[in-house]
Amino acid sequence: MTSPALAVLARDEAAPVPPPLPSIGVVIPSLDQGRYLPRALASLFEQGYPRLRVVVMDGGSTDESVDVIRAHADRLAFWRSGRDGGQAAAVNEGVRRLGTQLVAWLNADDFYLDGALWVVGRAWAAFPGRALYVGNGLRYRQDEDRYVPFCRRHLTLRRDALRRGLDYVLQPSTFFRAAAWAEEGGLDPALRYCMDWDLVLRLAERHPAVLVNEFLSASREHGASKTSTGGMARAEEIRRLAEARGGARLTPGAAYYLLEALLEESRALERPGLRRALYEGMLDLQQLFRAEWGNLDGFPEAGDPQDQVYLTVASPGDPPRPPPEGVVCPRISLVTPSYNQAAFLGTCLDSALSQGYPELELLVVDGGSTDGSVDVIRERAPRLASWVSEPDGGPAHAVNKGFARATGEVLGWLNSDDALAQDALWHVGRAFAEDPDLDMVFGNALYIDGKDGVCLADHGWHRTGLYFGERQPWERIPYYWSYVHGVPQPSVFFRRRLLERCGGLDEGYRLIFDFELFWRFTREARVRKLERTLAFYRIHPESRTGGGWRAFQVELYRFSRPRWPRAPRAFYHAWRDFVGCYMRHRYHGRPRGPAFWAVAAAVAASALTGLGNPEAWDLPRPR
């Protein structure tokens, strides 16, 4: 590559608007939310989305809201401040003034996440003209200054669950085709708490939807929000709506929200027995949710067949997003190890090359493939920094070879059957540019199968298509049996200085070399999570993961056992925890007879002495 290691980019205001992108209009209803309104407006205008119209409908605020609105007036399509007929009526009037293809509303105390409108616009380009585009989001717990996912798994849409009172659709992450909104008459002004749920259900009953598995918005949770203060009035509105839509006086979802409201109200009674009974009722309903829809929290595991899922896999046909203004882009070196993965290699390489990131150095290290991979590489060779096809010592060796040739300040590797999400490198580059002390970033990934569809991975108590990245404390990482979520490897990027300080991949591992490297990194690095989908993790029969979790467990135990604590008390807890989890996983739901206890004793002795590897044992399972 001949370009300089650093480049400063500015947005080209004269760049033509790509035809596939829809016009998007957003209404912000507000009443005395002046302290939050600047964040909501900035989250829209900072998107840089070229076909955006924003309307603010203020209900006659007496705080600083009008001054905030006036300061942004030149960028608004319309605004008004005065008494209105409530939130639903204000939103309906604002939508009528938008004149866009897609519409949404953003409460003044919520905000959009970076790139959200681009994701929705590209979803429309992929599946144009659908009535609903439903995304995921975050809950921002203001008192704790903490973000938690609205849904920690993949999104689905089940109409029967909506009818029966489960509100699992995040309002600010939902976008509507304007014509479909008008056909349904918009929001019901008689509703105060459930108008979004009601409209989504009415539209979903008549139209297919598009599910967007990305965090699009943040819903602010604070003491003055409607959800926090709704109490019994909110629960009763949910019950009435569920009765009207679900045909039963009390549906499972309505019952759950009613018990939840009663549990909160019962605090004043100081009756622990009553609170315990209410809580146990909620737990019982959660079991019903799991039996009906697959998960305890009511988020359905499987969706209705008429809906489509939009995946943000980067490809050459994506409508381009202008780069962030004034961002200094560090050079990113991305290594792709490959061996006989021609079926997926083109998608992998194109997902990196189509990012539009100016300082990408893409290096391909092929292990001497014989399946056509070299032809795939040669087609893209002019845009590669380097490539080689020759026998190597496996994927860890190949990645280390690539790192030795790389020149970038930031490094990462992308396996030949995985892929990057749209704009992933821009988000990574921006994070490193903004924080010179940052050593490593990671994000989320989506599991996909060999046909580019969402693939559900078994995480023990639930199945999920979202690999939700979660950093564990350094000292807990060796306790691999005690947690499910880790760091999705294709979403990880780190500075060269961290690799130089910690050393490269351990080539003695065939499967968990990434896990072992990130363990070393975690002890040394300043790490930040980017709460977005950065990559796609493919599971198929020829992949490392496709061979089964058992082989991973064998290597994980080999890594873990020497790192158990030496202090007797701490060692005892680790030993007991491992044996207990091992037996629960291997013998879940089976009788605990003599064979069970004999196996438990053998596993306990092996783990105690460090002799043998219980994860490698092919043990009999009692029937």
Side-chain angles (χ1 to χ4, degrees):
M1 297 182 65
T2 59
S3 55
L6 296 176
V8 180
L9 300 181
R11 186 171 60 202
D12 182 5
E13 299 291 349
V17 176
L21 288 174
S23 55
I24 298 177
V26 179
V27 178
I28 300 181
S30 180
L31 178 63
D32 291 332
Q33 298 290 321
R35 61 183 296 198
Y36 303 125
L37 192 53
R39 179 76 180 273
L41 289 165
S43 76
L44 279 164
F45 296 132
E46 290 174 359
Q47 300 272 326
Y49 190 80
R51 305 187 67 191
L52 173 65
R53 287 173 63 86
V54 180
V55 166
V56 178
M57 303 297 292
D58 184 77
S61 296
T62 57
D63 64 356
E64 67 271 28
S65 295
V66 174
D67 292 336
V68 172
I69 297 168
R70 285 196 175 113
H72 294 82
D74 60 334
R75 306 188 72 175
L76 299 175
F78 175 83
W79 72 274
R80 189 190 68 189
S81 181
R83 296 187 62 180
D84 54 37
Q87 184 183 19
V91 172
N92 284 339
E93 182 179 347
V95 167
R96 287 192 291 270
R97 295 178 178 274
L98 286 172
T100 54
Q101 293 165 288
L102 277 175
V103 298
W105 85 92
L106 181 71
N107 294 322
D109 51 355
D110 298 335
F111 50 94
Y112 285 118
L113 303 178
D114 183 33
L117 299 185
W118 286 91
V119 173
V120 174
R122 287 163 170 168
W124 169 286
F127 300 104
R130 303 305 195 270
L132 284 167
Y133 296 80
V134 181
N136 203 343
L138 304 174
R139 298 181 187 273
Y140 175 51
R141 294 178 176 167
Q142 181 171 287
D143 292 343
E144 306 170 26
D145 192 23
R146 186 165 67 96
Y147 293 87
V148 297
F150 177 70
C151 177
R152 291 173 65 93
R153 297 182 297 280
H154 61 290
L155 284 184
T156 62
L157 187 61
R158 280 283 296 269
R159 288 148 179 84
D160 61 332
L162 282 175
R163 282 192 295 268
R164 298 179 69 188
L166 286 176
D167 185 8
Y168 58 83
V169 176
L170 185 63
Q171 174 267 308
S173 291
T174 304
F175 291 73
F176 307 83
R177 180 162 53 89
W181 175 293
E183 289 169 6
E184 286 296 324
L187 301 177
D188 184 348
L191 297 175
R192 174 171 168 75
Y193 301 99
C194 304
M195 62 276 225
D196 52 336
W197 181 7
D198 170 62
L199 180 59
V200 167
L201 183 52
R202 282 188 278 137
L203 285 168
E205 295 282 21
R206 297 180 55 189
H207 302 277
V210 175
L211 283 304
V212 181
N213 281 285
E214 181 57 283
F215 296 134
L216 302 180
S217 70
S219 176
R220 190 187 300 266
E221 296 182 349
H222 56 95
S225 66
K226 281 201 308 179
T227 302
S228 300
T229 60
M232 293 298 296
R234 175 174 175 266
E236 174 57 18
E237 184 170 291
I238 291 172
R239 190 204 64 76
R240 291 197 309 270
L241 181 59
E243 179 182 5
R245 301 296 181 189
R249 182 167 176 80
L250 187 64
T251 66
Y256 185 86
Y257 293 122
L258 179 61
L259 290 177
E260 184 180 52
L262 287 170
L263 185 65
E264 181 63 28
E265 296 291 339
S266 68
R267 292 180 184 274
L269 298 178
E270 298 183 355
R271 304 292 295 178
L274 173 61
R275 292 180 56 78
R276 185 164 53 251
L278 293 170
Y279 183 67
E280 289 175 354
M282 294 171 65
L283 294 179
D284 188 56
L285 284 168
Q286 287 182 335
Q287 294 299 326
L288 188 152
F289 297 162
R290 186 171 193 172
E292 293 268 348
W293 300 296
N295 292 303
L296 293 172
D297 56 11
F299 286 96
E301 178 183 290
D304 292 330
Q306 65 265 44
D307 301 321
Q308 287 84 29
V309 176
Y310 173 65
L311 299 180
T312 61
V313 179
S315 66
D318 293 335
R321 178 186 176 187
E325 293 187 45
V327 173
V328 179
C329 306
R331 173 172 288 185
I332 298 177
S333 294
L334 189 64
V335 176
T336 293
S338 177
Y339 182 68
N340 286 342
Q341 295 288 337
F344 309 116
L345 181 58
T347 298
C348 168
L349 298 179
D350 288 345
S351 76
L353 294 170
S354 62
Q355 296 278 318
Y357 189 81
E359 289 302 319
L360 169 64
E361 182 183 58
L362 183 58
L363 308 97
V364 180
V365 183
D366 183 77
S369 295
T370 58
D371 67 339
S373 294
V374 173
D375 293 333
V376 174
I377 298 169
R378 283 198 176 110
E379 288 176 7
R380 296 156 178 83
R383 292 180 288 163
L384 302 177
S386 73
W387 70 276
V388 66
S389 181
E390 61 189 19
D392 56 40
H397 178 227
V399 174
N400 282 337
K401 283 172 58 177
F403 286 161
R405 298 175 181 177
T407 64
E409 176 190 351
V410 176
L411 305 174
W413 80 92
L414 185 68
N415 292 320
S416 54
D417 50 358
D418 296 335
L420 290 179
Q422 296 162 349
D423 304 324
L425 296 184
W426 283 107
H427 294 295
V428 170
R430 185 173 186 172
F432 282 112
E434 292 174 346
D435 187 353
D437 296 327
L438 187 63
D439 295 305
M440 170 178 155
V441 301
F442 70 98
N444 302 315
L446 282 169
Y447 296 113
I448 57 174
D449 59 23
K451 297 181 179 179
D452 292 338
V454 174
C455 178
L456 302 190
D458 190 349
H459 280 205
W461 57 90
H462 65 259
R463 297 194 307 162
T464 178
L466 176 64
Y467 190 160
F468 183 73
E470 196 164 43
R471 179 187 178 191
Q472 303 295 331
W474 176 82
E475 63 276 4
R476 187 169 179 248
I477 290 176
Y479 294 63
Y480 66 93
W481 62 85
S482 65
Y483 58 91
V484 174
H485 291 288
V487 177
Q489 177 273 310
S491 77
V492 176
F493 293 82
F494 46 89
R495 291 197 194 268
R496 173 181 296 278
R497 69 190 182 211
L498 182 63
L499 186 73
E500 293 171 348
R501 196 159 69 235
C502 297
L505 298 174
D506 186 339
E507 297 172 17
Y509 290 106
R510 185 175 66 89
L511 298 172
I512 68 158
F513 46 83
D514 53 345
F515 177 91
E516 190 275 339
L517 180 68
F518 300 155
W519 172 73
R520 283 184 275 141
F521 279 1
T522 300
R523 187 172 192 178
E524 298 282 336
R526 177 171 173 176
V527 181
R528 175 185 168 193
K529 184 183 181 188
L530 305 180
E531 204 61 86
R532 61 188 318 110
T533 298
L534 292 179
F536 294 84
Y537 191 103
R538 195 183 299 273
I539 299 176
H540 60 99
E542 288 74 37
S543 67
R544 289 189 302 147
T545 309
W549 183 241
R550 179 80 174 276
F552 280 84
Q553 290 174 309
V554 173
E555 286 198 358
L556 285 168
Y557 183 83
R558 177 160 67 89
F559 162 83
S560 166
R561 179 59 183 79
R563 293 169 176 83
W564 289 7
R566 295 182 180 274
R569 185 177 181 84
F571 177 88
Y572 168 75
H573 286 297
W575 170 75
R576 185 183 66 178
D577 191 39
F578 168 76
V579 174
C581 288
Y582 181 99
M583 297 306 294
R584 283 195 298 274
H585 291 163
R586 291 290 183 97
Y587 293 91
H588 178 69
R590 295 180 172 88
R592 296 191 174 190
F596 174 91
W597 294 111
V599 169
V603 171
S606 174
L608 181 65
T609 61
L611 299 175
N613 186 334
E615 297 285 14
W617 296 352
D618 189 14
L619 297 172
R621 297 191 179 190
R623 297 179 180 178

